[in-house]
Amino acid sequence: MKSSEIREKFLKYFESQGHKRLPGSSLVPKDPTVLLTLAGMLQFKPIFLGQEKPRHKRAATVQKCLRTNDIEQVGRTARHHTFFEMLGNFSFGDYFKREAIKFAWELLTEVFKLPRNRLLIAVFEKDDEAYDIWQKEMKVPAERIFRLDEENNFWAVGPTGPCGPCSEIYYDQGPVRGCGKTGCAPGCDCDRFLEVWNLVFIQYNRNENGELVLLKQKGIDTGMGLERIASVLQGVESNFDTDLFVPLIDKIKQISGQKKLNQTSLRIIADHVRAATNLISDGVIPENTGRGYILRRLLRRAIRHGRLLGIERQFLAEIAADVIEQMRSVYPVLEQKRATVLSAIKTEETNFLATLEQGLALFKEVMQQHAKDKVVPGASAFKLHDTFGFPVELSCEIAAESGYNLDEAGFEREMEQQRERARAAGIPAEKKKLLGLNLDKFGRSEFLGYEKSSSQAKIEAVFPDEKFIVLDRTPFYGESGGQVGDTGLLKVGGKEIRVLDALLTPKGTIVHEVDEIDGLKPEVTVDARIDISKRAATQAHHTATHLLHKALREVLGDHVKQAGSYVGPDKLRFDFSHFAAPTKQELEQVEAMVNQKIGEKIKVEVLQKSYKEAVKMGAMALFGEKYGEQVRVLKIGNYSLELCGGTHVKNTSEIGFFKIAHESALGAGVRRIEAVAGQVAKLQVTYKAKALNDQLEELMRKYRLLQIEKSNLSGEKISDVEVFKVELAELDQLMKAADQQGSARVNALFDHLQGRLDWLRDRTIRVEKEIREQKLKQASSQAAEYVNNIKEVNGIKVLTQEFGQYSMDMLRSVSDTVRNQAGSCVIVLAAVFPGNLRFLITVTDDLVAKGVSARELAGIFGRLVQGKGGGKDVKAEGGGKDPTQVNAAFEAVLAALSK
């Protein structure tokens, strides 16, 4: 029975039993506190916890799952995987143990036709009810039912919360697959008894005291691994021998081209590429933290095992393409994200292959140095991780293969030191000052700045040395969440004191930095007023950041996630996860989308919600961030919904205009966009347009002069050139439109200006070349005339000749022509310019043999014109600052030759 048939038969059976067929969820859970989807019940967790009411009393799913807790066993056993599919049926307060057991038994024995005498049952040791149902109602002999302890047969969502006993169904694969020990039975670690289905009876709630309290609404959660049941139904010894893996393994063999291949490496690659392909299609990309690190670890482990199979080129994307073909009918997202999946894998493989050989060479060197103690030091493992991209788990594996241990504690110390350096580097100077302040007695400040720009406040504390104060309430936003702190004024006793910055402590205290503390004392009341213009510019950039985030996800894919930000009055900076540099067209599309939303004048709302409500609404939260019970949800129409504690505009039209200034790479898998919005954007766009116009005008003047010079040389008529120039008033009108068309036209305008500038620059270079060639040609044709000016000094023929603004190439052309016509001679040529000159001295080989040196003559000439020269005996070049002395220099050379 093929795996596709197994999935369908499972779902159809439960549909016939009144279950609703529901789609499985993403490998990336909606709950940001959970890293990856580990089981089929995860999407129903709020129902089992009593937080949500079910829309269906019964459900059945096929769920993609990913676990790495047993990654070292993958490929070494018949049944361990990172990625697997879980077939599950669920009851939400409807049926319970009797029906769940009946459904499982009927499906396995009557639909899948498994022989009853090869099925064994395990129940929780205290669950007499389940035991009786199996023995008395399902007629399973007592000798085939086993009572196991809480470790094996009791499920819990955590230390507290819903939990209950389990009942597992095992398939007996025969004594040949067993350990041979007396008493071998379900629960043994050997391969004889294969657990194919686990039925969880959720009937208790474990309270804070560890007591089990019966739930009012009981539930059923079951899970049957597709890979395991497929191996049973297809009659093979290993999950890797099923139709889920055989085509992939065959492809890897074909790529390798080797005859004898390590089966473990084949299996690891097949498993890991299946996992990586599905992870990327669900929005994960390779990174150094969180889900991205798990993906990177899987891919780099697969690459390394490819090397063990003799594969030295990129190959993982080829296997991933086969995974997509194999699974796309079940999971259409694979086909939808095909380009993203293959591109991300190719990029990661390229990055790791660039350092793999060096890393392996270092590994070998380290092991040779520590051959006696057989321990890879933590510092070496850290270098492999930090410099060569080796996940520490991969280093552990390579070390273990050679009988070495890895100093994981030492590695972790190195990592912590790096984190500490990063934390220190990331703390602004002002916040480092805060580290020395005693702020323990202060709690969360009352922040009024969401609604007010000014207020009266009482001083709670003054730190005179640092010039910091704490107010009981404040309109000043304290720097946090990427948004800079407010600045402004404090008025006290008729005096104005400037607030230079506002900083937020981890406990929520807002600390104000002031330029002076005279008149500031505890209990004194002040009028606090923020700089409204700075706040407005900052808010425009902050709201634009949310529009940018959404647009990036729409253009580049759902895998894009915020990885850091800066929001100030001058610009915004947005770091995001993506595996490759966006194209110019993609960036223009993103920019146009943001400007379109600005032009649509969308209402911007801030909603106060509980964290659970916000997640249920679909608000995007950052994984790893700590959120309180109550959160602020920024809602930009129906376009963007994110958790955010910053300040924002009331309507997208207030942003005015948005322009991407720069895009770059921060590291593997992380990109950065710098952009401007509002008045800053308009000023920068205007400045850029003016700068391009100025460049065009300057280049045009140069081009006209060159044309005149060319015309004088050749007699050709000057051609007219049209150069586009933008009127700034027109540009302002385009930016005021602030919609997709306006943004596109501004970009088109700049492209046109830049295009005309590039065209004119090319034409200028071409004309300069034509003039140079014309002058060389003329200089060469006139050179014969200069032979008549040759003098004879001390039996040596000498030409001294002054020219106008000749290039060195033209001097060389004249020199070569004269030398060829005159034969034995010394040639001294000088080109005079306003305020300087250049000269060339040539001596024929026969005169060099008699002791005449162009290099020595250049020294004589250079000294007189306040310059210098150098070269060889046959030819020397130089320059000088005093062209008025050129004749004196000629005479000095003649005098030297006369001696």
Side-chain angles (χ1 to χ4, degrees):
M1 191 182 293
K2 292 183 178 179
S3 54
S4 57
E5 294 178 72
I6 297 171
R7 289 192 198 94
E8 191 57 30
K9 281 183 180 288
F10 175 87
L11 292 171
K12 277 189 173 179
Y13 170 79
F14 279 102
E15 280 184 310
S16 71
Q17 301 298 328
H19 291 66
K20 177 68 175 177
R21 182 193 294 216
L22 296 176
S25 60
S26 167
L27 285 171
V28 179
K30 289 183 179 179
D31 184 348
T33 64
V34 182
L35 196 62
L36 290 165
T37 297
L38 305 172
M41 64 77 61
L42 192 59
Q43 68 170 307
F44 305 118
K45 181 179 171 184
I47 297 174
F48 285 122
L49 290 172
Q51 297 168 352
E52 289 183 13
K53 290 185 177 180
R55 285 188 288 179
H56 312 283
K57 287 290 187 179
R58 302 181 178 193
T61 65
V62 178
Q63 176 62 55
K64 297 180 291 185
C65 300
L66 200 141
R67 302 176 186 173
T68 57
N69 52 312
D70 291 325
I71 191 171
E72 293 80 8
Q73 298 302 314
V74 172
R76 307 183 194 284
T77 71
R79 63 180 184 270
H80 281 95
H81 303 288
T82 54
F83 173 85
F84 58 95
E85 294 175 81
M86 188 71 83
L87 311 175
N89 59 288
F90 307 90
S91 168
F92 311 113
D94 187 15
Y95 63 82
F96 200 48
K97 293 182 185 179
R98 177 171 285 99
E99 294 86 346
I101 290 171
K102 174 182 174 292
F103 293 149
W105 191 248
E106 187 172 276
L107 179 65
L108 291 177
T109 59
E110 297 182 23
V111 178
F112 288 157
K113 308 290 186 186
L114 292 182
R116 295 176 182 233
N117 62 354
R118 298 190 72 170
L119 296 175
L120 297 92
I121 308 301
V123 299
F124 178 49
E125 58 189 357
K126 298 178 182 178
D127 192 353
D128 294 333
E129 182 185 1
Y131 187 97
D132 289 342
I133 294 170
W134 280 114
Q135 184 188 22
K136 296 176 181 178
E137 299 183 33
M138 298 300 113
K139 307 301 181 184
V140 177
E143 63 270 18
R144 303 189 69 82
I145 307 174
F146 298 82
R147 292 180 183 266
L148 299 181
D149 59 16
E150 184 170 341
E151 183 180 345
N152 285 282
N153 275 69
F154 197 92
W155 173 89
V157 72
T160 61
C163 55
C166 308
S167 186
E168 297 167 326
I169 305 173
Y170 291 83
Y171 182 78
D172 185 354
Q173 300 189 93
V176 70
R177 302 292 302 281
C179 58
K181 295 177 182 176
T182 304
C184 178
C188 181
D189 289 333
C190 73
D191 284 338
R192 175 171 179 175
F193 300 104
L194 179 67
E195 180 197 330
V196 293
W197 207 340
N198 187 15
L199 316 178
V200 180
F201 312 127
I202 304 175
Q203 64 188 80
Y204 300 112
N205 179 62
R206 179 173 278 140
N207 62 25
E208 297 290 342
N209 298 323
E211 299 168 334
L212 295 177
V213 181
L214 278 171
L215 291 169
K216 292 180 181 179
Q217 179 173 291
K218 299 175 183 179
I220 292 293
D221 160 28
T222 83
M224 176 164 57
L226 175 64
E227 292 76 11
R228 292 191 182 189
I229 191 63
S231 71
V232 172
L233 293 172
Q234 293 175 17
V236 294
E237 292 187 356
S238 162
N239 294 359
F240 293 98
D241 297 323
T242 66
D243 66 332
L244 293 163
F245 288 94
V246 168
L248 303 179
I249 290 174
D250 285 346
K251 182 64 170 282
I252 300 165
K253 289 178 180 178
Q254 177 190 335
I255 292 171
S256 171
Q258 306 289 328
K259 290 185 178 179
K260 293 185 178 180
L261 294 171
N262 183 290
Q263 292 300 308
T264 299
S265 291
L266 287 170
R267 291 174 170 186
I268 286 172
I269 295 169
D271 172 274
H272 288 10
V273 175
R274 269 177 28 114
T277 302
N278 280 279
L279 273 172
I280 297 168
S281 72
D282 279 350
V284 181
I285 66 167
E287 294 178 286
N288 285 331
T289 57
R291 305 177 184 105
Y293 179 75
I294 290 174
L295 172 58
R296 173 161 286 165
R297 179 184 172 192
L298 292 170
L299 286 171
R300 297 195 169 187
R301 192 169 188 245
I303 293 166
R304 191 246 169 182
H305 278 276
R307 281 299 176 95
L308 296 179
L309 296 178
I311 305 173
E312 297 191 356
R313 64 173 177 85
Q314 292 190 9
F315 73 102
L316 295 187
E318 295 176 50
I319 313 301
D322 283 8
V323 172
I324 293 170
E325 288 300 317
Q326 184 180 348
M327 303 183 74
R328 64 179 183 169
S329 61
V330 185
Y331 304 109
V333 68
L334 288 167
E335 183 59 43
Q336 295 163 13
K337 301 292 184 181
R338 175 188 287 268
T340 299
V341 170
L342 300 184
S343 180
I345 289 176
K346 286 176 183 175
T347 300
E348 183 66 11
E349 198 165 9
T350 299
N351 292 341
F352 191 44
L353 286 175
T355 59
L356 179 58
E357 287 302 323
Q358 290 175 281
L360 290 173
L362 174 64
F363 216 116
K364 185 176 180 181
E365 184 181 316
V366 169
M367 289 196 294
Q368 287 174 348
Q369 292 171 354
H370 294 271
K372 288 186 178 179
D373 60 6
K374 289 193 174 297
V375 174
V376 175
S380 299
F382 177 76
K383 184 177 181 180
L384 284 161
H385 164 81
D386 198 46
T387 307
F388 301 105
F390 278 52
V392 67
E393 297 86 358
L394 180 58
S395 294
C396 285
E397 182 179 324
I398 298 172
E401 289 171 359
S402 299
Y404 283 67
N405 291 318
L406 189 144
D407 179 14
E408 294 186 58
F411 170 82
E412 189 51 45
R413 282 195 298 273
E414 295 284 341
M415 281 295 294
E416 184 54 38
Q417 288 175 16
Q418 186 191 60
R419 293 187 198 107
E420 195 59 47
R421 289 192 296 270
R423 282 193 289 268
I427 299 174
E430 295 84 356
K431 287 203 172 185
K432 285 181 180 175
K433 292 179 188 176
L434 291 186
L435 297 178
L437 300 181
N438 183 9
L439 299 166
D440 293 341
K441 66 178 180 179
F442 302 105
R444 180 170 296 278
S445 297
E446 183 184 354
F447 176 59
L448 309 172
Y450 289 130
E451 302 299 332
K452 295 182 178 181
S453 60
S454 63
S455 70
Q456 282 199 332
K458 186 173 66 178
I459 298 175
E460 290 194 326
V462 177
F463 299 91
D465 293 339
E466 295 84 1
K467 293 186 178 178
F468 287 127
I469 67 166
V470 177
L471 302 175
D472 64 338
R473 57 210 301 261
T474 179
F476 287 84
Y477 182 87
E479 180 182 337
S480 59
Q483 180 175 329
V484 300
D486 280 324
T487 57
L489 293 173
L490 298 179
K491 288 187 178 181
V492 55
K495 184 178 183 180
E496 289 187 345
I497 295 173
R498 286 190 301 145
V499 176
L500 306 176
D501 201 359
L503 306 161
L504 186 70
T505 71
K507 286 187 176 181
T509 307
I510 297 176
V511 181
H512 307 71
E513 182 185 10
V514 294
D515 65 340
E516 61 173 301
I517 58 166
D518 290 343
L520 300 181
K521 297 178 182 178
E523 301 300 320
V524 169
T525 298
V526 298
D527 287 321
R529 182 179 300 276
I530 67 169
D531 182 336
I532 298 174
S533 60
K534 178 185 175 182
R535 167 72 78 81
T538 302
Q539 289 182 162
H541 281 120
H542 203 157
T543 308
T545 301
H546 287 263
L547 295 176
L548 171 62
H549 190 187
K550 179 66 173 179
L552 283 168
R553 286 171 63 83
E554 290 192 349
V555 174
L556 301 181
D558 292 341
H559 61 275
V560 170
K561 300 287 191 304
Q562 181 178 336
S565 69
Y566 163 86
V567 179
D570 54 335
K571 66 179 180 181
L572 68 86
R573 188 174 65 233
F574 188 74
D575 303 337
F576 61 98
S577 55
H578 188 53
F579 48 82
T583 64
K584 181 175 182 287
Q585 292 73 23
E586 287 172 332
L587 289 175
E588 287 182 351
Q589 190 179 351
V590 166
E591 187 179 277
M593 281 185 171
V594 174
N595 279 306
Q596 181 180 348
K597 297 304 172 186
I598 292 170
E600 288 176 8
K601 301 179 180 180
I602 304 171
K603 183 180 180 181
V604 179
E605 301 175 83
V606 175
L607 311 175
Q608 294 285 350
K609 298 287 181 181
S610 71
Y611 177 75
K612 292 174 183 176
E613 285 178 317
V615 171
K616 188 176 179 180
M617 287 173 64
M620 185 179 294
L622 298 181
F623 181 81
E625 283 287 316
K626 292 182 179 179
Y627 297 101
E629 284 294 318
Q630 293 294 312
V631 293
R632 286 169 54 84
V633 180
L634 185 75
K635 184 176 184 290
I636 306 177
N638 296 321
Y639 186 65
S640 173
L641 196 69
E642 294 188 64
L643 303 187
C644 182
T647 62
H648 293 274
V649 299
K650 304 293 185 186
N651 189 290
T652 59
S653 62
E654 296 174 40
I655 299 172
F657 191 72
F658 174 82
K659 192 84 181 76
I660 293 175
H662 186 61
E663 192 279 335
S664 61
L666 270 191
V670 183
R671 311 292 304 180
R672 168 172 288 178
I673 280 178
E674 293 187 33
V676 285
Q679 191 62 30
V680 179
K682 292 183 178 182
L683 288 172
Q684 286 203 12
V685 169
T686 303
Y687 176 80
K688 182 178 178 181
K690 188 175 184 307
L692 285 170
N693 274 337
D694 290 347
Q695 289 178 56
L696 274 169
E697 288 181 0
E698 181 63 31
L699 196 54
M700 192 65 196
R701 280 193 292 271
K702 179 180 179 180
Y703 182 69
R704 292 291 188 196
L705 292 172
L706 288 170
Q707 279 189 314
I708 292 169
E709 186 177 1
K710 180 185 174 186
S711 178
N712 291 336
L713 287 169
S714 63
E716 295 178 8
K717 185 180 178 182
I718 298 174
S719 60
D720 194 31
V721 178
E722 178 191 357
V723 178
F724 182 84
K725 183 178 179 181
V726 65
E727 294 296 332
L728 298 184
E730 176 193 0
L731 191 68
D732 189 53
Q733 287 301 314
L734 286 176
M735 288 187 290
K736 282 179 180 175
D739 58 8
Q740 190 165 357
Q741 184 185 9
S743 175
R745 286 175 67 191
V746 168
N747 286 325
L749 195 66
F750 284 149
D751 286 345
H752 189 71
L753 281 170
Q754 189 63 54
R756 296 303 288 173
L757 189 60
D758 293 341
W759 177 86
L760 190 56
R761 192 176 286 116
D762 290 342
R763 287 291 295 268
T764 301
I765 292 169
R766 192 185 312 160
V767 172
E768 284 178 326
K769 184 180 178 183
E770 290 171 356
I771 290 171
R772 188 165 56 251
E773 290 173 350
Q774 185 70 26
K775 285 182 175 180
L776 283 171
K777 187 177 179 181
Q778 289 182 359
S780 181
S781 65
Q782 294 170 0
E785 301 174 11
Y786 305 134
V787 175
N788 298 327
N789 299 336
I790 290 178
K791 305 171 186 176
E792 190 166 312
V793 178
N794 199 16
I796 299 172
K797 290 189 287 185
V798 184
L799 171 66
T800 59
Q801 186 70 44
E802 177 185 343
F803 297 92
Q805 298 180 15
Y806 267 34
S807 67
M808 188 59 77
D809 283 341
M810 294 169 69
L811 294 181
R812 292 189 192 107
S813 178
V814 171
S815 179
D816 291 345
T817 303
V818 171
R819 184 186 58 194
N820 291 336
Q821 292 192 17
S824 175
C825 62
V826 174
I827 304 166
V828 185
L829 309 177
V832 175
F833 297 82
N836 66 83
L837 63 80
R838 57 176 66 115
F839 62 87
L840 171 69
I841 301 177
T842 305
V843 178
T844 54
D845 290 338
D846 63 310
L847 294 177
V848 171
K850 292 180 181 180
V852 181
S853 169
R855 184 175 65 249
E856 291 179 10
L857 295 176
I860 294 168
F861 193 101
R863 282 193 294 273
L864 282 165
V865 295
Q866 295 186 31
K868 59 182 179 179
K872 298 181 179 179
D873 289 335
V874 294
K875 186 176 287 185
E877 300 175 358
K881 299 177 182 177
D882 188 358
T884 63
Q885 296 299 310
V886 65
N887 289 325
F890 284 145
E891 292 298 326
V893 170
L894 293 173
L897 290 171
S898 69
K899 298 176 183 177

